[in-house]
Amino acid sequence: MTTLLTLDDCRRRDAADPLRPLRDLFQLPEGVVYLDGNSLGALPKATPDRVAQVVRAEWGTELIRAWNTAGWADAPRRIGDRIARLVGAGPGELVATDSTSVNLYKVLSAALAIAAEDAPGRRTIVSERSNFPTDLYIAESLARERGGTLRLVDAADLPAAVGADTAVLLLTHVHYRTGAMHDMAAVTAAAHAAGARVVWDLAHSAGAVPVDLHAANADFAIGCGYKFLNGGPGAPAFVWVHPRHVDRFRQPLSGWWGHAQPFAFVPGYQPAAGIGRYLCGTQPQIALAALEAGLDVFAAAEPLGGMAALRAKSLALTDLFIALVDARCDGHPLGLATPRDPARRGSQVSLTWHGDAPEAAHAIVQALIDRGVIGDYRAGDGSAEPHILRFGFTPLYTGFEDVWQAVEQLRDVLATGAWRDARFHRQAAVT
Ligand SMILES: *Cc1c(COP(=O)(O)O)cnc(C)c1O
């Protein structure tokens, strides 16, 4: 049954890959197989010059005039429109601004306020127990602030756990640990049928998997600029609100950039119409320029098939990784946390470690990084949540030969026990 895949097969697939030219738009260090673009996207070659231009020419020469002459004032909306195309939102419906955590605070506030008007009994936020910590921390504070409850459930209990008390269901579309992907349309429909609104966190989806917020009839969405969108460390995030909700509520961070007339300097807050009210303060132009350069790569992908082609390649890469780990790392205490079903898989593969040395998963990742294969490790609690070795596949720049090399190094690290070396057992602040 199993077809034996060879290095040559992988090289042939790279040669035949219509998206291969996109890799040349990135500055990837020689000898590195980068499988962490789901955490921090790689550097597009155009970004340093674009950032230098903003600093030298726009800031340095135009000074304050650049807010108008260089399009600074308009950047959150202009860049937002470009992200909108990747996630099935309409023009003028999405802005690039602030961080994912801050944007979550805004949309969750709005969702709770809408529920308070429409159905005052509904004050519970439901989320996945294993959702990304910042999402749960923000939800916890808001529940406390609004006198509501945060109820954490397992994915298997969804959408049944959305009940008569539920104001909002908060989910991350592609799970950061496992790479499992929710069926956005089906979950949204079920939550709506139960009377709740849904906030989707697209941190691991935008630029990685096709998303159609309108087709799914979603209510609110937020997402990250520095993962698959390659906007650089701490890049501005994004926020989208369905037009049916957007003018109903003033998000609580009522800064002057969200005002209907920010430069009128009038007393009293009047929210801008539409998504503009989700802006707060002055936006970081240098960071926005880097994000825009990241989005230029997606513009270059459009004539090559766009998100559909990127998704096809992403699945081909993750299928290959899974098949090669099955075939070549057999006999080691590894499991697969990521769904084998392509329809339920994002753009990463997470392996679990079940060996009796629980610190091994971390050490294996460190040993791989030492050999130029950069993935990451996410600690579990050792029982219900296993330790995870996480490998992100960015179809813009990851090749089939990269997948081969990654599995070959993993096979060798396991077979030789190279991970047992003491230098791979030191803990770093950010891993
Ligand atoms: C990466 C990520 C974030 C990041 O939030 P920041 O505010 O940028 O730190 C939030 N949520 C999820 C699900 C993520 O994966």
PDB file of all heavy atoms in Angstrom, residues 281-300:
ATOM      1  N   GLY A 281      -6.183  54.265  18.982  1.00  0.00           N
ATOM      2  CA  GLY A 281      -5.256  55.401  18.945  1.00  0.00           C
ATOM      3  C   GLY A 281      -4.454  55.437  17.651  1.00  0.00           C
ATOM      4  O   GLY A 281      -4.754  54.738  16.683  1.00  0.00           O
ATOM      5  N   THR A 282      -3.415  56.253  17.641  1.00  0.00           N
ATOM      6  CA  THR A 282      -2.554  56.458  16.475  1.00  0.00           C
ATOM      7  C   THR A 282      -1.867  55.143  16.085  1.00  0.00           C
ATOM      8  O   THR A 282      -1.358  54.437  16.945  1.00  0.00           O
ATOM      9  CB  THR A 282      -1.503  57.526  16.812  1.00  0.00           C
ATOM     10  OG1 THR A 282      -2.198  58.658  17.343  1.00  0.00           O
ATOM     11  CG2 THR A 282      -0.720  57.931  15.584  1.00  0.00           C
ATOM     12  N   GLN A 283      -1.889  54.854  14.811  1.00  0.00           N
ATOM     13  CA  GLN A 283      -1.432  53.535  14.346  1.00  0.00           C
ATOM     14  C   GLN A 283       0.053  53.523  13.999  1.00  0.00           C
ATOM     15  O   GLN A 283       0.568  54.495  13.460  1.00  0.00           O
ATOM     16  CB  GLN A 283      -2.248  53.129  13.111  1.00  0.00           C
ATOM     17  CG  GLN A 283      -3.740  53.102  13.375  1.00  0.00           C
ATOM     18  CD  GLN A 283      -4.097  52.113  14.465  1.00  0.00           C
ATOM     19  OE1 GLN A 283      -3.661  50.968  14.417  1.00  0.00           O
ATOM     20  NE2 GLN A 283      -4.833  52.545  15.470  1.00  0.00           N
ATOM     21  N   PRO A 284       0.736  52.409  14.255  1.00  0.00           N
ATOM     22  CA  PRO A 284       2.186  52.313  14.027  1.00  0.00           C
ATOM     23  C   PRO A 284       2.518  52.154  12.546  1.00  0.00           C
ATOM     24  O   PRO A 284       2.396  51.079  11.972  1.00  0.00           O
ATOM     25  CB  PRO A 284       2.568  51.050  14.813  1.00  0.00           C
ATOM     26  CG  PRO A 284       1.337  50.206  14.775  1.00  0.00           C
ATOM     27  CD  PRO A 284       0.167  51.150  14.769  1.00  0.00           C
ATOM     28  N   GLN A 285       2.923  53.256  11.932  1.00  0.00           N
ATOM     29  CA  GLN A 285       3.101  53.254  10.474  1.00  0.00           C
ATOM     30  C   GLN A 285       4.256  52.366   9.998  1.00  0.00           C
ATOM     31  O   GLN A 285       4.187  51.789   8.918  1.00  0.00           O
ATOM     32  CB  GLN A 285       3.303  54.690   9.977  1.00  0.00           C
ATOM     33  CG  GLN A 285       2.078  55.558  10.202  1.00  0.00           C
ATOM     34  CD  GLN A 285       0.824  54.989   9.552  1.00  0.00           C
ATOM     35  OE1 GLN A 285       0.880  54.469   8.434  1.00  0.00           O
ATOM     36  NE2 GLN A 285      -0.300  55.069  10.225  1.00  0.00           N
ATOM     37  N   ILE A 286       5.311  52.284  10.782  1.00  0.00           N
ATOM     38  CA  ILE A 286       6.442  51.461  10.341  1.00  0.00           C
ATOM     39  C   ILE A 286       6.035  49.989  10.338  1.00  0.00           C
ATOM     40  O   ILE A 286       6.304  49.244   9.394  1.00  0.00           O
ATOM     41  CB  ILE A 286       7.665  51.734  11.247  1.00  0.00           C
ATOM     42  CG1 ILE A 286       8.031  53.224  11.175  1.00  0.00           C
ATOM     43  CG2 ILE A 286       8.857  50.866  10.842  1.00  0.00           C
ATOM     44  CD1 ILE A 286       9.025  53.674  12.243  1.00  0.00           C
ATOM     45  N   ALA A 287       5.318  49.609  11.392  1.00  0.00           N
ATOM     46  CA  ALA A 287       4.852  48.224  11.477  1.00  0.00           C
ATOM     47  C   ALA A 287       3.791  47.931  10.416  1.00  0.00           C
ATOM     48  O   ALA A 287       3.761  46.841   9.833  1.00  0.00           O
ATOM     49  CB  ALA A 287       4.301  47.953  12.869  1.00  0.00           C
ATOM     50  N   LEU A 288       2.928  48.897  10.147  1.00  0.00           N
ATOM     51  CA  LEU A 288       1.912  48.684   9.109  1.00  0.00           C
ATOM     52  C   LEU A 288       2.559  48.520   7.737  1.00  0.00           C
ATOM     53  O   LEU A 288       2.095  47.725   6.909  1.00  0.00           O
ATOM     54  CB  LEU A 288       0.914  49.848   9.097  1.00  0.00           C
ATOM     55  CG  LEU A 288      -0.157  49.807  10.196  1.00  0.00           C
ATOM     56  CD1 LEU A 288      -0.864  51.158  10.323  1.00  0.00           C
ATOM     57  CD2 LEU A 288      -1.189  48.702   9.930  1.00  0.00           C
ATOM     58  N   ALA A 289       3.653  49.265   7.500  1.00  0.00           N
ATOM     59  CA  ALA A 289       4.339  49.144   6.204  1.00  0.00           C
ATOM     60  C   ALA A 289       4.914  47.735   6.042  1.00  0.00           C
ATOM     61  O   ALA A 289       4.852  47.137   4.955  1.00  0.00           O
ATOM     62  CB  ALA A 289       5.448  50.191   6.102  1.00  0.00           C
ATOM     63  N   ALA A 290       5.471  47.181   7.115  1.00  0.00           N
ATOM     64  CA  ALA A 290       6.013  45.822   7.039  1.00  0.00           C
ATOM     65  C   ALA A 290       4.889  44.816   6.782  1.00  0.00           C
ATOM     66  O   ALA A 290       5.038  43.874   5.996  1.00  0.00           O
ATOM     67  CB  ALA A 290       6.759  45.479   8.325  1.00  0.00           C
ATOM     68  N   LEU A 291       3.747  45.025   7.431  1.00  0.00           N
ATOM     69  CA  LEU A 291       2.605  44.128   7.200  1.00  0.00           C
ATOM     70  C   LEU A 291       2.149  44.208   5.748  1.00  0.00           C
ATOM     71  O   LEU A 291       1.854  43.193   5.106  1.00  0.00           O
ATOM     72  CB  LEU A 291       1.462  44.495   8.156  1.00  0.00           C
ATOM     73  CG  LEU A 291       0.147  43.739   7.974  1.00  0.00           C
ATOM     74  CD1 LEU A 291       0.337  42.225   8.105  1.00  0.00           C
ATOM     75  CD2 LEU A 291      -0.900  44.215   8.999  1.00  0.00           C
ATOM     76  N   GLU A 292       2.129  45.421   5.211  1.00  0.00           N
ATOM     77  CA  GLU A 292       1.683  45.579   3.822  1.00  0.00           C
ATOM     78  C   GLU A 292       2.645  44.862   2.869  1.00  0.00           C
ATOM     79  O   GLU A 292       2.221  44.261   1.882  1.00  0.00           O
ATOM     80  CB  GLU A 292       1.544  47.058   3.469  1.00  0.00           C
ATOM     81  CG  GLU A 292       0.782  47.268   2.167  1.00  0.00           C
ATOM     82  CD  GLU A 292       0.194  48.667   2.038  1.00  0.00           C
ATOM     83  OE1 GLU A 292       0.778  49.619   2.594  1.00  0.00           O
ATOM     84  OE2 GLU A 292      -0.846  48.804   1.362  1.00  0.00           O
ATOM     85  N   ALA A 293       3.942  44.919   3.180  1.00  0.00           N
ATOM     86  CA  ALA A 293       4.912  44.206   2.341  1.00  0.00           C
ATOM     87  C   ALA A 293       4.660  42.695   2.416  1.00  0.00           C
ATOM     88  O   ALA A 293       4.822  41.973   1.428  1.00  0.00           O
ATOM     89  CB  ALA A 293       6.337  44.547   2.779  1.00  0.00           C
ATOM     90  N   GLY A 294       4.256  42.207   3.584  1.00  0.00           N
ATOM     91  CA  GLY A 294       3.898  40.782   3.707  1.00  0.00           C
ATOM     92  C   GLY A 294       2.708  40.447   2.824  1.00  0.00           C
ATOM     93  O   GLY A 294       2.651  39.379   2.197  1.00  0.00           O
ATOM     94  N   LEU A 295       1.761  41.356   2.735  1.00  0.00           N
ATOM     95  CA  LEU A 295       0.567  41.097   1.927  1.00  0.00           C
ATOM     96  C   LEU A 295       0.854  41.169   0.435  1.00  0.00           C
ATOM     97  O   LEU A 295       0.136  40.570  -0.371  1.00  0.00           O
ATOM     98  CB  LEU A 295      -0.543  42.066   2.324  1.00  0.00           C
ATOM     99  CG  LEU A 295      -1.070  41.818   3.741  1.00  0.00           C
ATOM    100  CD1 LEU A 295      -1.921  42.977   4.218  1.00  0.00           C
ATOM    101  CD2 LEU A 295      -1.847  40.511   3.807  1.00  0.00           C
ATOM    102  N   ASP A 296       1.914  41.900   0.054  1.00  0.00           N
ATOM    103  CA  ASP A 296       2.303  41.920  -1.363  1.00  0.00           C
ATOM    104  C   ASP A 296       2.593  40.506  -1.873  1.00  0.00           C
ATOM    105  O   ASP A 296       2.376  40.207  -3.048  1.00  0.00           O
ATOM    106  CB  ASP A 296       3.556  42.796  -1.566  1.00  0.00           C
ATOM    107  CG  ASP A 296       3.230  44.292  -1.504  1.00  0.00           C
ATOM    108  OD1 ASP A 296       2.035  44.649  -1.596  1.00  0.00           O
ATOM    109  OD2 ASP A 296       4.180  45.090  -1.353  1.00  0.00           O
ATOM    110  N   VAL A 297       3.098  39.656  -0.999  1.00  0.00           N
ATOM    111  CA  VAL A 297       3.390  38.280  -1.416  1.00  0.00           C
ATOM    112  C   VAL A 297       2.092  37.553  -1.802  1.00  0.00           C
ATOM    113  O   VAL A 297       2.063  36.775  -2.763  1.00  0.00           O
ATOM    114  CB  VAL A 297       4.136  37.520  -0.299  1.00  0.00           C
ATOM    115  CG1 VAL A 297       4.396  36.092  -0.723  1.00  0.00           C
ATOM    116  CG2 VAL A 297       5.445  38.230   0.063  1.00  0.00           C
ATOM    117  N   PHE A 298       1.025  37.839  -1.059  1.00  0.00           N
ATOM    118  CA  PHE A 298      -0.253  37.217  -1.404  1.00  0.00           C
ATOM    119  C   PHE A 298      -0.791  37.758  -2.724  1.00  0.00           C
ATOM    120  O   PHE A 298      -1.452  37.040  -3.472  1.00  0.00           O
ATOM    121  CB  PHE A 298      -1.267  37.390  -0.263  1.00  0.00           C
ATOM    122  CG  PHE A 298      -0.936  36.521   0.910  1.00  0.00           C
ATOM    123  CD1 PHE A 298      -0.134  36.993   1.934  1.00  0.00           C
ATOM    124  CD2 PHE A 298      -1.385  35.206   0.961  1.00  0.00           C
ATOM    125  CE1 PHE A 298       0.201  36.182   3.011  1.00  0.00           C
ATOM    126  CE2 PHE A 298      -1.053  34.384   2.022  1.00  0.00           C
ATOM    127  CZ  PHE A 298      -0.258  34.871   3.053  1.00  0.00           C
ATOM    128  N   ALA A 299      -0.500  39.031  -2.993  1.00  0.00           N
ATOM    129  CA  ALA A 299      -0.902  39.588  -4.288  1.00  0.00           C
ATOM    130  C   ALA A 299      -0.163  38.855  -5.406  1.00  0.00           C
ATOM    131  O   ALA A 299      -0.733  38.551  -6.455  1.00  0.00           O
ATOM    132  CB  ALA A 299      -0.604  41.087  -4.321  1.00  0.00           C
ATOM    133  N   ALA A 300       1.123  38.542  -5.157  1.00  0.00           N
ATOM    134  CA  ALA A 300       1.900  37.800  -6.161  1.00  0.00           C
ATOM    135  C   ALA A 300       1.380  36.370  -6.318  1.00  0.00           C
ATOM    136  O   ALA A 300       1.535  35.753  -7.374  1.00  0.00           O
ATOM    137  CB  ALA A 300       3.380  37.786  -5.752  1.00  0.00           C
TER     138      ALA A 300
END
